[in-house]
Amino acid sequence: MTLLQQVKTLILKDIILEWRSKYAINGILLYVVSTVFVCYQAFKSVDTTVWNALFWIIMLFASINAINKSFVQENPNRQLYYYSLVDPRAIILAKVIYNMLLMTILATIAYFVYSIIFKNPLGDPTLYFISVILGSISFASVFTMISGISSKAGNNSTLMAILSFPAIIPLLIVLIKLSRNAIEGLERAASTKEIIVLLAINVITITISLLLFPYLWRD
């Protein structure tokens, strides 16, 4: 099979496994809804700055919980089986695309639940939704790469935390700035730089994953 066919097959495999167990979807939905409800009970009414910060904190931890299992669920015997059948680049690319789809769905649900429970203070809801989608895709690409690296170190959660910190902080800064522009209702041209930076982060992260993962997989 070609690389694209391998990627397609692996994505379908992950979708079928998730559909059978529904572990990630149910677990993260429960986490998002319960966290939003707890925040609402604790704060009732918040200003726009806190509203924005709370949302991205919820999304950050939801992303970690959803994506951390990407390689944990793959036991060594199954990984050896994949190694004999497919290109390692197909494996990491399939994981990235699948996690992007998963996070896009979860982020969309989280956004609407959050907006319904809390009063929506957005000046430009469309731009904010775009920032949510870009943020979920960025979280997926970064955390998938880091999960793949940590999986080759015995699924060391400490290593994942250390590697995530320098990668996720710049991403959060850009996302918060972009979403703040949407809350304040600024012209969309003012947010072009942030959108380009987010797209660049995704391209760089995926490129690095494709370059590094074959060497990690070989070990």
Side-chain angles (χ1 to χ4, degrees), residues 11 37-38 50 60 74 109 118 123 125-126 128 145 148 188 190 216:
I11 292 173
F37 182 74
V38 169
V50 176
L60 174 62
E74 306 286 1
I109 295 172
F118 279 96
T126 303
Y128 197 92
M145 179 187 70
R188 295 182 184 179
L216 294 171

Side-chain angles (χ1 to χ4, degrees), residues 56-71:
W56 287 114
I57 289 172
I58 293 170
M59 284 306 305
L60 174 62
F61 286 100
S63 302
I64 294 172
N65 291 332
I67 298 173
N68 187 39
K69 73 177 188 65
S70 294
F71 291 91

Side-chain angles (χ1 to χ4, degrees), residues 4-162:
L4 291 178
Q5 289 174 326
Q6 291 176 4
V7 170
K8 180 181 178 181
T9 301
L10 290 170
I11 292 173
L12 289 175
K13 181 267 297 180
D14 283 334
I15 292 174
I16 291 171
L17 289 177
E18 181 57 42
W19 181 253
R20 288 177 179 174
S21 65
K22 299 181 179 64
Y23 171 78
I25 294 290
N26 292 336
I28 302 306
L29 282 178
L30 176 62
Y31 169 82
V32 168
V33 174
S34 60
T35 304
V36 171
F37 182 74
V38 169
C39 290
Y40 174 74
Q41 290 297 317
F43 298 102
K44 295 295 182 180
S45 179
V46 295
D47 61 23
T48 56
T49 302
V50 176
W51 191 93
N52 193 35
L54 280 176
F55 178 78
W56 287 114
I57 289 172
I58 293 170
M59 284 306 305
L60 174 62
F61 286 100
S63 302
I64 294 172
N65 291 332
I67 298 173
N68 187 39
K69 73 177 188 65
S70 294
F71 291 91
V72 174
Q73 66 182 5
E74 306 286 1
N75 61 59
N77 292 331
R78 186 184 295 176
Q79 291 185 14
L80 181 61
Y81 178 66
Y82 291 158
Y83 184 81
S84 64
L85 290 179
V86 297
D87 191 314
R89 293 175 299 172
I91 293 174
I92 189 64
L93 196 55
K95 291 290 186 184
V96 169
I97 295 173
Y98 171 75
N99 285 330
M100 284 181 176
L101 293 173
L102 177 64
M103 282 308 307
T104 299
I105 294 171
L106 292 174
T108 302
I109 295 172
Y111 169 69
F112 285 109
V113 170
Y114 193 73
S115 298
I116 291 171
I117 294 179
F118 279 96
K119 184 180 178 182
N120 192 329
L122 303 180
D124 188 346
T126 303
L127 180 60
Y128 197 92
F129 183 70
I130 291 172
S131 72
V132 170
I133 298 301
L134 288 175
S136 63
I137 291 173
S138 301
F139 285 148
S141 62
V142 170
F143 284 129
T144 302
M145 179 187 70
I146 294 172
S147 177
I149 294 173
S150 63
S151 70
K152 294 304 177 180
N155 291 318
N156 191 322
S157 57
T158 304
L159 177 62
M160 184 170 181
I162 293 172

